[in-house]
Amino acid sequence: MSTLLKRLEVKRKNEFEGEATAWINRDIVPLPPSRRTWGSWSFVGYWMLTGFNISGWTTASSLLGIGLNVWQAMVSVIIGQLIVAVAVVANGFVGAEWHIGFPVYNRFVFGVYGSFFPLLMRILLSIVWYGVQLVFGGKSVKVVIGAIWPSFYTLRNTLPENAGIELNDLIGILVFAALSLPLMLVPPEHFRKPFLVGSVIITITTFSMFVWAMAKEGGGGPLLSQPSELSGVEPLSGGAQLGWAMVYGITSTIGSICSGILNQSDYTRFASYPRAQIISQLVVVPVSSVIVALFGVIVTSCAAGFYPDEPLLWAPYDLLPVIQSHGGPGARAACFFAGCAFVMSQFGINIPGNAVSGGIDLSGLLPKYINIRRGAYVTAALGIVICPWKLLTGASVFLTVLSSFAVFLGPLTGVMVSDYLIVRRKKLRLSHLYMPNPSSIYYFTYGINFRAIIAWVCGVWPLMPGFINAVSKSPIGISEGWTHLYDLAWLLGFTLSAFVHVVLSTAFPPVALGEVDDQDIFGTFTEKVFVEPSAHTGSESDVDSVKGASIRELAV
């Protein structure tokens, strides 16, 4: 057994990385300059590819279900995405400046042992969301196969009823899952070019669909002027009712990406320079998300005009087969290429956003045995094992629970951001993040920072009555005030937890605030180059004598 465990240990690539232990391996160590390859345009490509996807396409459309019209829904999306952009940058500073990811980030916030709490929560979300996006990717593959062989849409279903899925959908999911596996072999530092290529392809595709739909319908379609007649939802009368509905729309917009906000440092740690993530993300996050949401609702509206006998076609994988069935060979070709583009966009959101993210977090949980690649495959395997198509069958309660997770993630993000930017004023002692004993300044009390735990609880508890009411099959009878607090979910939780954490940290300051390492121990700011012994022409002590520059000088 010990021999097997030894073989499973994560191997190091050179002597500067050190042996993998229960607290460190090469994938969670502060990244050296050679692995930091993401410039400003890399972040643009990342957000264009992850923004122009099926979930983003249906963002504004989903808000029509609560009684908002198209323009009210778009205002909610715009405000929500502006807040997301600021939150993404704020929570990305630690990764861009100290080049550590989410698992290590939380060691100085919650303590070396307390960090397992947010880590496990994020791993669970990565697995579930991987499965959900896998289903959407499978439906896009189904469109591609159906464009080649139209009979695929009517393939006889040989699966039992309790499978919760039809055969052609299952084939699409399995094909998408299989195609995803080799893509997980690509290290995150090499995502730059795929991001840029993929973002160009999906942007051209969605823009083409938008222009085609507007030209065919001769305008924006009936959903713009008659939303309640088509959606079957009574319009809101205005005043407070409309105001709180828009607040809920803003919160829902933030909630749909709140897990990505939480672990933003997993991506910004690859920034080639600290400012690379700032302007690019402040601009591209709201712009890409708002554009694709607008495209989605307008194309759906236009389709309602020229396909009046069809139900509202919210998702691209519902719309494209209808376009094919009403068109000729040209329509089949267009649907094929559009389907391929949406398959690519699902790769873009599911591999870096869920598989690799889950891999990084699992690497932080068991660094001695799991690196990013292994963790990504574990996430992918578990994402299929949970049978996500069953979760999406009659999905209202399940999706409500997922979107309502902002109740827990908003306070977590508030504690993290306030701890780094306000309590610690951007000063960290990297070496102590990998020391699971009382000599570490991040050991706190038995490895747990109770200030952070208390602050998180203070941000969550006011939202719990509304959360329980939202996910219950029948109302539990709470006052309107609790419902309004829940409508504020992420924003209120973030603010309360951040405030309480700063107050507690001011009243009971953690030890050694402002301390940093005297030397660049991990080669984070000055690359330590490993010289192979066979090619080494200097003295034997040359490699051993390599020392990094002072972090005090480099982290100002």
Side-chain angles (χ1 to χ4, degrees):
M1 185 65 177
S2 60
T3 303
L4 175 61
L5 290 175
K6 188 67 177 176
R7 287 180 176 273
L8 291 175
E9 288 181 7
V10 174
K11 303 298 186 293
R12 62 178 179 172
K13 289 195 173 181
N14 64 59
E15 67 177 38
F16 290 116
E17 293 179 351
E19 295 288 348
T21 71
W23 293 92
I24 189 171
N25 66 26
R26 75 180 305 268
D27 285 334
I28 63 170
V29 74
L31 291 182
S34 61
R35 296 184 67 189
R36 303 200 303 263
T37 58
W38 291 26
S40 296
W41 284 105
S42 299
F43 287 99
V44 170
Y46 169 72
W47 283 104
M48 292 294 286
L49 190 56
T50 59
F52 279 68
N53 59 67
I54 293 169
S55 298
W57 183 274
T58 60
T59 298
S61 303
S62 64
L63 298 181
L64 303 186
I66 62 175
L68 298 180
N69 63 33
V70 171
W71 306 118
Q72 291 163 350
M74 286 307 304
V75 169
S76 298
V77 170
I78 291 170
I79 296 173
Q81 290 298 337
L82 288 172
I83 294 171
V84 167
V86 174
V88 160
V89 171
N91 209 31
F93 276 124
V94 68
E97 294 171 350
W98 292 93
H99 313 294
I100 56 175
F102 177 75
V104 181
Y105 186 164
N106 280 286
R107 291 180 185 178
F108 70 78
V109 179
F110 288 89
V112 290
Y113 289 119
S115 65
F116 291 130
F117 166 63
L119 192 58
L120 289 170
M121 189 181 298
R122 187 61 185 87
I123 289 170
L124 173 64
L125 283 174
S126 293
I127 293 169
V128 173
W129 274 117
Y130 180 87
V132 170
Q133 296 295 346
L134 189 70
V135 174
F136 295 156
K139 288 181 177 292
S140 299
V141 169
K142 179 181 174 180
V143 170
V144 174
I145 298 175
I148 302 172
W149 299 290
S151 60
F152 187 70
Y153 286 124
T154 56
L155 183 68
R156 187 169 69 89
N157 181 33
T158 58
L159 299 176
E161 187 176 349
N162 61 5
I165 189 172
E166 294 193 357
L167 181 60
N168 52 10
D169 285 317
L170 181 60
I171 291 173
I173 290 172
L174 294 178
V175 169
F176 183 82
L179 292 175
S180 299
L181 295 180
L183 299 178
M184 295 177 198
L185 296 173
V186 181
E189 53 262 42
H190 298 315
F191 282 169
R192 186 162 47 102
K193 290 183 180 178
F195 282 163
L196 293 176
V197 172
S199 64
V200 170
I201 291 173
I202 190 61
T203 301
I204 292 173
T205 299
T206 53
F207 183 74
S208 300
M209 291 177 66
F210 173 73
V211 172
W212 167 80
M214 290 279 287
K216 184 176 178 65
E217 177 62 14
L223 200 57
L224 302 186
S225 57
Q226 309 165 37
S228 59
E229 294 180 17
L230 292 174
S231 66
V233 178
E234 288 294 323
L236 298 174
S237 58
Q241 186 183 26
L242 175 59
W244 280 109
M246 292 188 69
V247 167
Y248 179 77
I250 294 168
T251 301
S252 297
T253 300
I254 301 171
S256 66
I257 190 62
C258 64
S259 60
I261 297 172
L262 185 70
N263 71 320
Q264 185 60 24
S265 60
D266 282 343
Y267 311 111
T268 57
R269 68 195 292 241
F270 292 97
S272 54
Y273 55 95
R275 294 189 304 278
Q277 65 117 9
I278 300 176
I279 299 300
S280 57
Q281 295 196 117
L282 284 176
V283 174
V284 74
V285 169
V287 169
S288 63
S289 301
V290 169
I291 288 175
V292 75
L294 179 64
F295 283 2
V297 74
I298 296 296
V299 171
T300 298
S301 178
C302 292
F306 48 73
Y307 300 136
D309 296 331
E310 299 286 347
L312 288 174
L313 304 168
W314 299 115
Y317 53 72
D318 291 328
L319 172 63
L320 292 173
V322 174
I323 293 175
Q324 179 177 325
S325 67
H326 286 80
R332 280 180 62 184
C335 290
F336 170 81
F337 288 113
C340 288
F342 279 104
V343 169
M344 183 177 294
S345 76
Q346 286 306 114
F347 286 144
I349 190 173
N350 213 25
I351 293 174
N354 294 315
V356 170
S357 176
I360 293 172
D361 296 337
L362 283 165
S363 179
L365 186 67
L366 293 169
K368 191 171 184 177
Y369 300 104
I370 298 179
N371 56 19
I372 292 178
R373 185 176 296 170
R374 293 178 185 179
Y377 284 124
V378 170
T379 301
L382 294 177
I384 296 178
V385 167
I386 62 174
C387 299
W389 52 87
K390 286 192 174 182
L391 300 178
L392 292 170
T393 302
S396 57
V397 173
F398 170 70
L399 291 179
T400 298
V401 171
L402 278 185
S403 61
S404 298
F405 232 76
V407 167
F408 307 103
L409 303 191
L412 270 181
T413 309
V415 172
M416 292 167 65
V417 171
S418 64
D419 190 278
Y420 179 64
L421 296 181
I422 301 175
V423 175
R424 302 191 183 279
R425 299 186 184 278
K426 298 187 174 185
K427 298 295 183 181
L428 299 178
R429 191 164 187 180
L430 291 179
S431 61
H432 282 226
L433 292 169
Y434 302 92
M435 295 166 54
N437 54 60
S439 60
S440 170
I441 63 175
Y442 306 120
Y443 193 75
F444 300 105
T445 305
Y446 300 107
I448 299 173
N449 183 4
F450 288 100
R451 304 167 193 80
I453 298 295
I454 293 170
W456 179 79
V457 171
C458 288
V460 170
W461 78 263
L463 310 174
M464 286 307 295
F467 170 76
I468 295 170
N469 186 64
V471 301
S472 298
K473 291 184 178 180
S474 57
I476 61 173
I478 61 173
S479 68
E480 189 176 39
W482 289 116
T483 301
H484 290 334
L485 288 178
Y486 172 71
D487 289 340
L488 291 165
W490 193 93
L491 285 169
L492 181 60
F494 179 98
T495 305
L496 284 176
S497 289
F499 175 76
V500 172
H501 185 61
V502 171
V503 169
L504 289 177
S505 298
T506 302
F508 308 98
V511 299
L513 286 177
E515 281 194 10
V516 297
D517 291 310
D518 291 325
Q519 296 294 322
D520 186 10
I521 294 172
F522 300 103
T524 308
F525 304 97
T526 51
E527 188 84 37
K528 294 181 177 181
V529 181
F530 177 64
V531 182
E532 294 290 346
S534 59
H536 184 48
T537 58
S539 66
E540 293 182 359
S541 62
D542 284 349
V543 174
D544 296 332
S545 66
V546 175
K547 293 183 179 180
S550 170
I551 292 180
R552 294 185 192 277
E553 298 170 1
L554 295 166
V556 175

